[in-house]
Amino acid sequence: MGTGPESAEADTGPPAVPLLEPREGVPSVIASAAALDRVVAAFAAGTGPVAVDAERASGYRYGQRAYLIQLRREGAGTALIDPTACPDLSALDAALAGTEMVLHAANQDLPCLAEVGLVPRRLFDTELAGRLLGYPRVGLGSMVENVLGFLLEKGYSAADWSTRPLPDDWLRYAALDVELLVELRDSLQEELETAGKLEWALEEFAAILATPPKPPRPDPWRRTSGIHRVRNRRALATVREVWTARDKIARERDLSPGRVLQDAAIIELAQKSPKTPTELQALPTMRGRGARRHQSAWLRAVARARDLADRALPESNLPGDGPPPAHRWADRDPEAAKRLTAARAVVAALADEHSMPSENLVQPDSVRRLAWTPPDESSPSAIGATLRDLGARSWQVQLTAQPIAKAFLRLETKGEL
């Protein structure tokens, strides 16, 4: 039973049916080379797209690697693979090389799938399809309910999937996550075709696969929550030294950094700069057993920051590679501020017209960069070329270049630029 995004909120049809059990039951976890060989053969002989999902242990373990990978294909059924026992899925990847893989929120899972050698060549992202179609809620559970009329159990999404053995209830949940993913894909493709958006979606899916992995951040410690409260460079050095010490411990112990030491504790150490165990233990954020376990490491990190020469202290702010924050534009470049207001209004109106979020029509960062550093002339071709350089896809350029160019030209005609 399909319901479009406009009718999903006002659906007065029968209530969604709870999906409680996979069609073929919960399969055994694949944890041996022989069992994996059988899965490879079964999926190679199957037909149609392959539904793929991965479960991580975010908040529990260091990094974002997968601890369970789920697949389903017509003719092959569902497979639950333990990637800690079967860390090389290159044979499965080769068997599925020409097959479309269906994922929900693909950007979340593609990195951990690549780590084990599973790399889609063709992709259908059901979350992104839902965004392009204007669904107000695009989580997997909401999409399955609104499009297919079934309720998924979502209680274990934040569980510690590094647990072994995995409980039966968790495995049932994991199998159900791919149970209807291909059916969801088929329904969404029909809706995309009807809405005239299928080519847009295919461009978006191809762009996801073509985008290289993000390079490591130059100063990842600057992402510490609450760092805006740190007011001087020596305190910033303390954040850097404690963050680095925490990261080393977390990596060695394979723990999420937040389970070793919370960000709030790093900020308090930077603000108070304790010199002794007594001073450290008096801090409210250091009263937990986890924080105290490595107190000597934190004190050494604080001491290193205290002893640094001034020239070795980090700068308060790193120079950005893009425009300044938009709230400063009116003072720094009033013309750019007017272009930004005009471009945002155009994008918002077009997104509303085509029933999708503005950020899926044009990335907000691209709009800011275009307004801050526009091309020499405000023609549709020049605006379009700039948007392409900023990563916009052809369909996005076709929809937005001319209206944005007209908006910029109106400002010039009025003498506001």
Side-chain angles (χ1 to χ4, degrees):
M1 53 175 280
T3 62
E6 291 80 16
S7 62
E9 291 292 296
D11 186 7
T12 57
V17 178
L19 193 64
L20 302 176
E21 197 74 23
R23 275 166 276 193
E24 300 93 12
V26 180
S28 300
V29 176
I30 303 302
S32 70
L36 180 60
D37 287 344
R38 291 192 290 271
V39 166
V40 171
F43 274 76
T47 59
V50 178
V52 184
D53 192 21
E55 306 295 346
R56 297 178 296 279
S58 303
Y60 297 93
R61 296 293 179 180
Y62 190 87
Q64 293 295 316
R65 63 186 175 276
Y67 285 93
L68 188 72
I69 294 174
Q70 309 101 281
L71 304 100
R72 181 174 180 82
R73 191 180 196 190
E74 183 69 28
T78 296
L80 304 180
I81 300 176
D82 179 354
T84 63
C86 301
D88 181 5
L89 300 186
S90 56
L92 180 61
D93 180 74
L96 300 176
T99 304
E100 179 186 271
M101 295 190 184
V102 184
L103 287 89
H104 192 82
N107 281 325
Q108 296 180 17
D109 289 340
L110 288 176
C112 67
L113 293 174
E115 285 185 5
V116 295
L118 198 58
V119 181
R121 279 71 157 181
R122 296 167 54 207
L123 172 69
F124 192 104
D125 186 331
T126 49
E127 185 205 46
L128 183 49
R131 291 183 183 277
L132 294 177
L133 287 165
Y135 278 87
R137 299 190 305 275
V138 293
L140 180 59
S142 296
M143 293 296 292
V144 167
E145 179 178 355
N146 288 329
V147 178
L148 301 177
F150 289 94
L151 280 177
L152 281 180
E153 167 60 51
K154 298 303 295 179
Y156 301 112
S157 59
D160 179 4
W161 287 89
S162 67
T163 300
R164 293 295 183 272
L166 286 165
D168 290 343
D169 285 350
W170 296 17
L171 295 174
R172 181 176 295 104
Y173 157 90
L176 289 173
D177 260 6
V178 292
E179 180 78 6
L180 295 177
L181 201 51
V182 172
E183 286 89 338
L184 178 61
R185 169 240 181 270
D186 292 344
S187 292
L188 292 175
Q189 175 162 304
E190 287 184 14
E191 291 188 34
L192 288 166
E193 286 184 301
T194 300
K197 296 179 178 180
L198 182 58
E199 291 304 316
W200 303 357
L202 295 178
E203 274 196 65
E204 291 300 291
F205 302 157
I208 290 173
L209 295 181
T211 301
K214 290 183 179 180
R217 293 181 178 275
D219 283 342
W221 58 270
R222 291 185 185 269
R223 303 282 290 177
T224 303
S225 179
I227 198 170
H228 63 280
R229 300 200 304 272
V230 177
R231 302 299 186 185
N232 64 73
R233 292 174 62 199
R234 193 162 300 277
L236 278 178
T238 304
V239 173
R240 180 181 65 188
E241 295 299 325
V242 176
W243 187 98
T244 302
R246 179 186 70 171
D247 191 68
K248 181 175 184 292
I249 293 168
R251 186 186 296 269
E252 290 172 348
R253 298 188 61 204
D254 190 19
L255 289 174
S256 169
R259 296 179 76 84
V260 176
L261 186 70
Q262 294 182 350
D263 280 9
I266 296 179
I267 300 303
E268 190 169 37
L269 289 169
Q271 293 173 326
K272 302 297 176 60
S273 190
K275 296 182 176 65
T276 66
T278 300
E279 290 178 355
L280 182 141
Q281 292 168 15
L283 301 179
T285 58
M286 301 300 297
R287 290 174 184 165
R289 185 176 61 182
R292 291 192 179 193
R293 178 175 182 175
H294 302 286
Q295 65 178 14
S296 60
W298 316 140
L299 286 171
R300 286 195 301 271
V302 172
R304 283 196 300 273
R306 191 183 299 120
D307 293 341
L308 283 174
D310 287 350
R311 65 180 181 277
L313 298 176
E315 295 297 326
S316 296
N317 294 293
L318 280 180
D321 67 344
H327 67 270
R328 300 179 187 168
W329 288 25
D331 293 329
R332 294 187 57 177
D333 191 336
E335 293 184 356
K338 292 175 182 176
R339 283 192 297 267
L340 181 62
T341 299
R344 282 176 167 172
V346 167
V347 171
L350 286 170
D352 186 59
E353 177 185 343
H354 293 285
S355 301
M356 71 176 69
S358 294
E359 61 268 22
N360 289 112
L361 180 57
V362 182
Q363 283 291 316
D365 182 63
S366 297
V367 176
R368 285 192 296 269
R369 289 173 185 266
L370 171 65
W372 185 255
T373 311
D376 292 337
E377 61 176 35
S378 297
S379 65
S381 59
I383 297 291
T386 300
L387 287 171
R388 283 191 188 88
D389 290 342
L390 292 169
R393 267 69 73 187
S394 295
W395 72 272
Q396 296 172 323
V397 173
Q398 289 169 6
L399 286 178
T400 61
Q402 186 169 7
I404 291 175
K406 286 182 177 179
F408 285 6
L409 285 169
R410 279 195 298 270
L411 292 174
E412 294 173 10
T413 303
K414 292 178 181 178
E416 296 185 23
L417 297 182

